[in-house]
Amino acid sequence: VQLQAFGGGLVQAGGYLLLSCAASGSIVRDNVLGWYRQAPGKQRELVASVHTGGRRYLDDSVEDRFTISRDNAKNTVYLQMNSLKPEDTAVYCCNIKMYRHGTRLNDYWGQGTLVTVSS
């Protein structure tokens, strides 16, 4: 399984960016695609995730500014980030968690993409 992330870059505060991540390989239908981020000197945190069936999670810090969506046919997840703040600056990584009959299988990670928000 491979995940390839696109997007990221430098944007001014108040701006927007779209991240996307495409998963390929042996993808189990029951899965959760998510975005994590890690800022300098901080622990990695879950930003948002979405299940194959559409159930979504958004961290409190972004729920009114970010939107997560997915295209199941393409095994691709999108993170639309609006009203960006300097504190959103981090390396963003996509992740897939797969399940079979309720049992969690391996996780896979994509390469990180840097998001820098200038004030």
Side-chain angles (χ1 to χ4, degrees):
V1 175
Q2 293 184 329
L3 292 93
Q4 188 168 11
F6 303 90
L10 173 64
V11 64
Q12 289 188 332
Y16 62 92
L17 283 172
L18 173 66
L19 303 182
S20 62
C21 178
S24 61
S26 299
I27 308 298
V28 177
R29 185 181 181 281
D30 187 359
N31 67 73
V32 177
L33 283 165
W35 287 97
Y36 289 74
R37 67 185 179 186
Q38 186 166 19
K42 294 187 176 181
Q43 289 188 334
R44 184 172 62 195
E45 62 178 357
L46 174 62
V47 178
S49 65
V50 57
H51 183 260
T52 315
R55 184 175 66 250
R56 292 171 172 79
Y57 165 83
L58 284 165
D59 186 76
D60 288 345
S61 64
V62 306
E63 64 177 352
D64 58 345
R65 299 182 294 121
F66 292 7
T67 302
I68 189 167
S69 61
R70 64 183 290 163
D71 183 333
N72 288 337
K74 297 179 180 178
N75 287 317
T76 298
V77 62
Y78 305 95
L79 186 67
Q80 177 66 47
M81 305 185 294
N82 298 329
S83 302
L84 282 162
K85 303 175 180 179
E87 50 263 45
D88 294 317
T89 295
V91 174
Y92 286 70
C93 292
C94 57
N95 167 274
I96 187 169
K97 292 179 173 55
M98 296 190 288
Y99 301 84
R100 178 173 285 123
H101 304 307
T103 299
R104 182 167 161 179
L105 306 177
N106 290 337
D107 282 21
Y108 295 90
W109 293 88
Q111 86 283 11
T113 184
L114 178 62
V115 172
T116 303
V117 185
S118 62
S119 57

